Structure formats: C-alpha cells, structure tokens
Amino acid sequence: MLRRFPAPVVAQPRRAAAVLVGALVLAAALAPLAARPAVAERPPPAPARAPSACTANLASTLAPDHVRMCDPVHVTTTLSMACPVCPNGMNVIFIQDDTPYPEWQKQVSLQALTELEHYARGGRDISIGVIHYNGQGVRQVLQPAINNFGAARGHLTGFRVAHDPRALFLEAAQAGVQMIRRGRNLHGGRATPECELIVFFVYTKVYMADKGQEMIQAGRTLLREVDNLFVGCPHQHPEECTIWEPQVPESQRYYTEDPEGGRLRGMVRDALREIDTKGVVRVRALSLEQMLPAGLAIVPGTFDPKPNKTAQEAGGTRVTWGWRLPKMNETITITYRAQPVTAGVWKSDVSLSMMDSADNRGEHTLASNAITVENDICLTPTPTPPPTATPTQPPPTPTATATSTPVPTATPLPTPTPTPPPPTATPKPAPIYIPVILGEQCEIGQVHADVVLVVDVSTSMDRPTRSGRSKLAATQDAAKAFVALMDLTPDAHGGSDQVAVVGFNRHAWIEAPLGSDGARIDRAIDDLAKGQAEFTRLDLAFSVGAEAILAGARRAGHTPVVIVLTDGLPNRVPVAEDGTMETTVLRAAARAKAEGITVYTIAIGAPEDTNPVLLRQSATSPDHYFYTPDPEDLDAIYRSIAYAIGCPADRFWGGR
C-alpha cells in the first residue's frame, strides 16, 4: 500500500507509490529536485539474509510397507505453507503539529491508537513512537516500545496549543525516520516497510510557497522509509489546508482534516486489513525435489501433477516440481506410482526450498518411511479366491427312512443322505510375471513445434505492473523471451520450430503467420499494440489461434500448440442457448483441442478480473492453465511452457 507523489514530482520513491499528501504537491512544482537537502536514506540491506519466517508442513509416504517385485508402490507427498503476518512486528509513529484547534487532532489520534490496540490483541507486537514539533523545534516525546499503548495515549494528547504555520516539517520527518529505525531494533533489526505506519499532521498558509516545498521534501523522506503514510490537517481555516487537498492523486482516502471524524481510524483499519489479506510475507517461489532410489522405477504417465524435470542419477531418479506464488494454507498433494526393480529396503528423500517475498530462504528436508521389497519375482500369482466348481450332477434330494421300531407317539424323523463333496476343479495354469522396464524419452531437438501466441490486446492491458510499465509491454517482452527459447534455426534436415502471433480484443487477427523468422515474429509482437481496442472476445482467441495452425504453413510431425493469454473476463462474446458466454468460449476451445492442438491458457491481473474455472476448462488439462497477478512474472510461465512442449502422443510406446 505504497503512496505515490503527484505528477509534478520528478523523483520516484524507492517503491512504486500510490498516495500523497495534499500540500505537498504545489511545493513540488515550486523548486527543483536538486535543491532538496540531504536526508538519511534507508540503510543498505545486510548481505546475509535471515531464514524465512514461513513454515512448511511436509510429509512423504511409500505404500504398502511390504511388496513383491510385481507389486506397485504408491508414492504420496503432501506439503502446505504458512507465513506469519508481519513477522518482524509493526512500527507506528505519530508526528503531531502544534495547533490552535487541539481537540480534533487529539480525537483522531486516539481513535487510530485504539484501532492499533485492538489489532495487537491478536498476538502481534506493535511499537508506538510520538513526535511533537512546531517552528522552534522537534521533540521526540515517546520512544518506541513494544505494545506501549498506555504511554502513547498520554503523549498523543500532550502537544502544545499554538498557531505556527512555519513549523519545521522536514526536521520532523527526519526525526520520524530515526525513530522508525530505532523501532526496528525492537523486532530484530529487520525492516518490513509494509508493516510500518506513519501519521503526519501538517498545515501552513496557502501563500507560504517555501513551506510547501519543505512539506513535499518531508513527504518524500517518509515515503522512502515506509509504505504507509497518512496525512491530517489539524486546522479549521480552509486556507491552512487547501494547498494539498485538491492535489491528492487517485483518491483522498489517505488524507483527512478537521472536522472529519473517524476518517483516520478508517485509514488505519483499511491498512491493517490489507496487511492481513496480503499476508505481507508470503512464499514467492517454491521448489520440491524427491530422490527415488535406484531400486524403484517410476511408472510413466502416473504423475499428478506433472513434474518440471526428471533426471537419472547414480543413486536413482531425481524428480523436481516448482511453483510461483503458491496459495498459502492450501495443501499441495503429489502422487505417482513406482515399480520395484531390485529387492531390498528402500526409502525416498525429499527436500523443499522456498523464497519468500522478503527474499529470505527456507529449507526443509525429510525421508519417507522405508518399505521392504521381497526377493520374489512373482512366479506364483497373487492368491485369489478358489474357483467355484460346476457340479457334474445335482445333489440328491434328502429322503426320510423310518426306524425299525415304530414309536406311536412321535412322527418318524427323516435321516438326510449326506451330500457328497463337490468334485475338485481342474487347476488352471497360473500367469508368470516377468519384470519389464520401459524407457520412453523425447529427445530434445528431434521434435519441433508449431506454436501460436495469442495475446489479449484490450485496453485494460494498459494498466501498470509493479515496475510501472503497462501489462501489455511486460507481456510483449515475455513473449519475445519465449520466442528466443524456440529452435528457429533449421537443422540438418531443414526442420525448425515455427511461431505465429495472434491478437484479440473486440475481434481477433493473425499478426504474423507460422514461420521461423525470429526478427519478423518479434516485430509482430511489438505491432500488436497498434490494434489495441476494447472488449475481450475469448471465443475468437481460441478459434483464430487454431486457424493460425490449421490454415498456416504447418509442418508434418510438429507438435501443434496454442497459448492464449488474457487479463479479463469474456466480453461481447455471443451468448449460447444456455444464456452464457462461457459455453461459447468452451466450444471454441473444444474445437481447437479436437484438432489435436495442445491448448495452454494464462490469466494475468487481479483474481476477480479473470475466470480461472473457464480458462482451466478451456486448456488441454488443468496443468495447462497458469495464473499470475503481475505480468512481470510472465517470463517464468512462458519458460515453463517452452520446456513442457513435448513429443506427440504417437511417439510413445503404446500411444501413451
């Protein structure tokens, strides 16, 4: 939740910002950036990273515990991750200006403090610092201490009642930077800017341009240090606050003034909710490796989900999976089957590596349970229930035989004839199990692909990424990086990969047909921006993407692939008879897949802006669907797709 300075400010803060302080804008236009005095910068990061605060719950099993050479082994690995909110605690600084109208500043400051106190009851450590200032000096009246809410309550009402429009704004901000850094030492000395808040009260007269300049410099100083800056004007005269009020960019939700009641408390509440929602620290990248021993061989086609890589090594087979931005607190389950090839006692080793959003790493290792493979090659079949013999004749019906001496008072009891045992069935020949290991491999470079890059070129692709450039620009760069991974240079037989480029919005078009000219393909990707327009015809994305394959210069034996990228929901798509646009999209995707085309789908942007269920169903399989909230991560997705494009099904034994 970083705040951005308005347009007149030339320099960018350390992070992309979203809000600013009112009065600060006019002053930014009044003085060149080079005139600002030197301020203390955020200290450089320590070379050694701390261990990640995120934890992993990891388990791996081989089942059953005892098997014969012919029995399959079921391999199951589960993992889940949890990351604490603000693991390094929270720092909050109040910077209060002396004002002739004290009641409002007292009221809103105490309301914000109450909100923080409620938040701390959830087991979170929050340190509070308080600074008072005017035109004569800056007073650090309360040094940060963990959960010092009682002391803070008294100091937030102890500022002086005076009118001083020429207060020392920049000196107060520099004192705030020093105090926030001291607060970090209470939490291990590590900074988490997303978990730090500063409430800055400022006012001056509209014609005091020099003080306006000082305000903008004070704002920059604070925003270089923390992400969350809230500003209040503790004055009742409009001319004391109107310098900044009209200039707050995007919204005024980070600015308040006398006599607005409860607004500052709402700002703080929203910030805390955003911290909880995003988790602040989360797992950014996750990698899991499993080493299957040489005594067990992987059964092809049984992976769920498919791994990123398998490699034969001296000790067995190493299998690797990777995830970017995995969902927190959700369990990932990996399953596959293995076949014993050597008797003995076997177990697998599992290692997990993670990188969190603070660039801290976590490592976890474990060994599965051990299983015993018996030295039995299954010449004797697995016992089965004995076959039911067909009797040669029905058993005789029991008959009653009277006793030799009649008993007049009793009815003669029948004596049943014993039923003969069923005849012994002739044993059937038992099957003989012979271990067979099938090695299936698609050798790199022997199979080429015809790939169509289908890119959403709607107007929403102009929205910025975390680096500040547009989503479309980030997508174009990632697409060109994907093209660079393709084998476009003809081999000894004249074969090479081919790539086509398709754009879509209210309609769809082939920007470049299938070909191997890398420079022409890159130009086509760049030229997509020329066709930018509104709406999202996802149905046309799949149909025209398939057309680029089927009607293009397709080469026999090439793997046909269509990759559809979008940042929006279906829009202006013809409605099907069931009243939905989704059915129309699914039918277009199904027609492409029916032609033998492998379909990948990629969603980018805010989760609510796309339909993951629709895109997952449109892809060839759920594993062919990818999502990232920020297109800056597209390069890794395109790269994983490039490495996943494999052999056609008919190149494998048995058609698998």
Side-chain angles (χ1 to χ4, degrees):
M1 187 172 55
L2 195 58
R3 316 296 178 231
R4 182 181 296 282
F5 287 96
V9 181
V10 176
Q12 294 295 323
R14 185 185 60 86
R15 296 172 175 250
V19 175
L20 187 51
V21 182
L24 315 182
V25 176
L26 176 61
L30 297 177
L33 181 62
R36 75 174 187 268
V39 295
E41 296 289 343
R42 183 176 294 180
R49 288 286 181 182
S52 174
C54 300
T55 58
N57 184 13
L58 183 63
S60 185
T61 60
L62 306 179
D65 292 337
H66 289 78
V67 296
R68 300 178 305 164
M69 294 291 292
C70 61
D71 297 328
V73 177
H74 297 272
V75 184
T76 303
T77 302
T78 60
L79 64 129
S80 61
M81 294 135 306
C83 297
V85 175
C86 300
N88 299 326
M90 294 186 63
N91 293 314
V92 181
I93 305 296
F94 289 85
I95 304 176
Q96 294 180 314
D97 196 352
D98 291 350
T99 173
Y101 304 98
E103 292 306 317
W104 179 83
Q105 186 170 250
K106 292 179 182 179
Q107 176 186 1
V108 298
S109 297
L110 293 176
Q111 288 175 348
L113 183 70
T114 299
E115 196 67 35
L116 293 165
E117 193 170 10
H118 290 165
Y119 189 73
R121 291 173 185 170
R124 302 170 180 89
D125 290 337
I126 302 179
S127 61
I128 309 293
V130 180
I131 294 173
H132 294 160
Y133 75 103
N134 54 26
Q136 285 72 48
V138 177
R139 307 180 300 280
Q140 299 187 27
V141 297
L142 179 65
Q143 293 298 327
I146 294 178
N147 298 335
N148 57 339
F149 297 103
R153 195 172 301 277
H155 287 291
L156 288 177
T157 60
F159 55 87
R160 299 171 184 173
V161 179
H163 180 251
D164 193 348
R166 303 194 65 86
L168 303 177
F169 307 129
L170 184 56
E171 288 83 348
Q174 292 171 334
V177 169
Q178 297 170 3
M179 186 173 283
I180 208 83
R181 291 178 180 175
R182 283 196 295 271
R184 289 172 189 158
N185 293 329
L186 300 173
H187 308 285
R190 293 188 294 274
T192 309
E194 300 90 342
C195 293
E196 296 175 323
L197 313 176
I198 292 182
V199 180
F200 191 23
F201 292 96
V202 288
Y203 71 93
T204 191
K205 292 186 178 295
V206 67
Y207 53 80
M208 292 182 177
D210 59 328
K211 297 307 294 182
Q213 176 186 343
E214 189 176 325
M215 280 185 180
I216 201 73
Q217 293 169 348
R220 290 195 192 126
T221 300
L222 296 173
L223 282 172
R224 275 194 292 268
E225 197 68 22
V226 301
D227 287 353
N228 302 299
L229 174 64
F230 306 121
V231 177
C233 176
H235 209 286
Q236 293 181 357
H237 290 180
E239 70 166 11
E240 310 286 344
C241 298
T242 51
I243 295 178
W244 56 83
E245 180 186 1
Q247 304 292 341
V248 176
E250 298 183 11
S251 75
Q252 296 187 12
R253 48 186 293 232
Y254 309 105
Y255 169 79
T256 183
E257 64 182 35
D258 192 347
E260 293 174 337
R263 189 174 178 87
L264 179 60
R265 183 173 190 170
M267 294 180 196
V268 173
R269 182 187 301 119
D270 289 346
L272 298 177
R273 286 176 178 171
E274 187 171 345
I275 289 171
D276 275 342
T277 300
K278 293 183 177 180
V280 181
V281 174
R282 59 176 179 167
V283 174
R284 190 176 68 191
L286 181 69
S287 175
L288 184 138
E289 287 189 349
Q290 184 159 26
M291 187 68 180
L292 197 68
L296 303 175
I298 294 171
V299 178
T302 60
F303 283 114
D304 183 18
K306 294 179 181 178
N308 295 73
K309 181 180 179 182
T310 59
Q312 294 292 332
E313 299 182 4
T317 306
R318 186 176 301 278
V319 191
T320 305
W321 292 263
W323 298 267
R324 289 189 63 83
L325 302 177
K327 294 182 179 179
M328 296 293 97
N329 302 314
E330 288 192 8
T331 300
I332 297 174
T333 301
I334 298 170
T335 61
Y336 61 96
R337 293 200 306 274
Q339 192 69 42
V341 295
T342 307
V345 178
W346 306 110
K347 63 181 179 179
S348 70
D349 295 324
V350 180
S351 61
L352 178 70
S353 299
M354 68 173 70
M355 172 77 77
D356 64 27
S357 56
D359 291 335
N360 295 326
R361 295 183 180 274
E363 305 287 342
H364 302 269
T365 59
L366 62 83
S368 72
N369 60 298
I371 65 169
T372 300
V373 178
E374 299 174 356
N375 191 14
D376 183 352
I377 60 173
C378 299
L379 294 178
T380 302
T382 303
T384 57
T388 302
T390 303
T392 57
Q393 60 182 9
T397 304
T399 57
T401 303
T403 60
S404 59
T405 304
V407 180
T409 59
T411 302
L413 297 174
T415 301
T417 301
T419 302
T424 303
T426 302
K428 296 181 179 180
I432 298 177
Y433 295 86
I434 301 176
V436 176
I437 300 175
L438 297 177
E440 298 177 353
Q441 181 178 0
C442 176
E443 296 182 7
I444 297 175
Q446 292 187 347
V447 176
H448 293 293
D450 290 338
V451 183
V452 180
L453 297 176
V454 184
V455 179
D456 187 338
V457 199
S458 58
T459 52
S460 60
M461 292 288 284
D462 279 335
R463 295 172 184 169
T465 67
R466 65 172 179 262
S467 70
R469 59 177 175 166
S470 69
K471 290 193 288 186
L472 180 57
T475 300
Q476 289 170 312
D477 284 351
K480 287 188 283 188
F482 172 86
V483 173
L485 295 173
M486 296 292 97
D487 186 5
L488 302 179
T489 302
D491 57 23
H493 304 287
S496 65
D497 293 330
Q498 297 191 115
V499 179
V501 180
V502 170
F504 76 97
N505 37 55
R506 68 173 71 213
H507 61 282
W509 68 97
I510 300 175
E511 188 70 40
L514 281 173
S516 301
D517 185 341
R520 180 185 61 85
I521 297 168
D522 285 352
R523 286 195 301 270
I525 293 172
D526 289 334
D527 289 343
L528 285 174
K530 298 177 182 178
Q532 199 165 12
E534 294 181 336
F535 309 128
T536 309
R537 287 291 303 272
L538 267 175
D539 57 325
L540 296 181
F542 291 106
S543 60
V544 176
E547 177 187 342
I549 289 277
L550 302 175
R554 185 178 176 186
R555 295 177 180 173
H558 282 208
T559 303
V561 177
V562 170
I563 306 171
V564 176
L565 178 144
T566 183
D567 75 333
L569 300 166
N571 194 310
R572 295 297 176 95
V573 174
V575 176
E577 64 275 5
D578 62 357
T580 68
M581 293 184 288
E582 286 75 11
T583 296
T584 303
V585 174
L586 288 173
R587 287 173 178 169
R591 287 192 292 270
K593 290 182 283 187
E595 295 289 348
I597 298 173
T598 300
V599 177
Y600 289 87
T601 56
I602 305 173
I604 61 175
E608 64 272 13
D609 290 341
T610 60
N611 187 334
V613 175
L614 173 64
L615 294 175
R616 190 176 288 111
Q617 292 175 347
S618 298
T620 292
S621 75
D623 290 340
H624 289 66
Y625 163 75
F626 296 85
Y627 167 73
T628 178
D630 196 308
E632 296 295 345
D633 299 321
L634 273 175
D635 184 72
I637 291 178
Y638 273 128
R639 184 177 297 272
S640 66
I641 293 175
Y643 292 148
I645 296 174
C647 297
D650 59 7
R651 296 296 180 94
F652 288 98
W653 175 83
R656 291 184 290 110

